[in-house]
Amino acid sequence: MIRHIVLLTWTDDATDEQKAAVAKHLGELPAVIPQLRRYDLGSDLGLAAAGNSDFAIVAEFDSVADYEVYRDHPQHHAVINEHIAPIKAGRAAIQFEF
């Protein structure tokens, strides 16, 4: 199994509506990408004083090939280009086998 984790940081001028659109459109991906075995996402709860990212995505796949389907899927790229990129200040990601 492959786990893919992404941590995003928003720009200072990102609006609540833009942030909500990211969550909404990412949340629609499991319905169009059946290779997603598990898909969790959410905003930081603000429990740490500083240094946290603003948003996290955790996705699980049966295989590297399934991850690649997600990674390269046009709907996934549409969400990135239309909703994430305009408000993204930073990104960190990792994929690992478990």
Side-chain angles (χ1 to χ4, degrees):
M1 301 249 329
I2 303 297
R3 183 169 287 149
H4 169 62
I5 300 173
V6 177
L7 300 174
L8 298 168
T9 304
W10 304 135
T11 59
D12 290 338
D13 61 345
T15 67
D16 289 341
E17 291 79 17
Q18 288 173 305
K19 295 172 194 177
V22 168
K24 175 187 180 294
H25 292 286
L26 284 174
E28 294 170 349
L29 292 180
V32 296
I33 306 174
Q35 290 80 3
L36 280 160
R37 175 178 277 277
R38 182 174 175 164
Y39 200 59
D40 299 309
L41 49 94
S43 296
D44 182 59
L45 295 175
L47 303 177
N52 279 9
S53 296
D54 295 312
F55 194 82
I57 303 154
V58 180
E60 293 178 359
F61 306 89
D62 288 332
S63 66
V64 170
D66 285 352
Y67 162 74
E68 290 170 339
V69 169
Y70 166 80
R71 180 195 67 195
D72 300 335
H73 196 281
Q75 189 68 26
H76 179 224
H77 281 272
V79 175
I80 292 168
N81 295 331
E82 295 169 20
H83 301 286
I84 295 173
I87 62 171
K88 181 185 77 174
R91 178 186 181 273
I94 186 171
Q95 300 80 38
F96 61 92
E97 191 169 17
F98 68 102

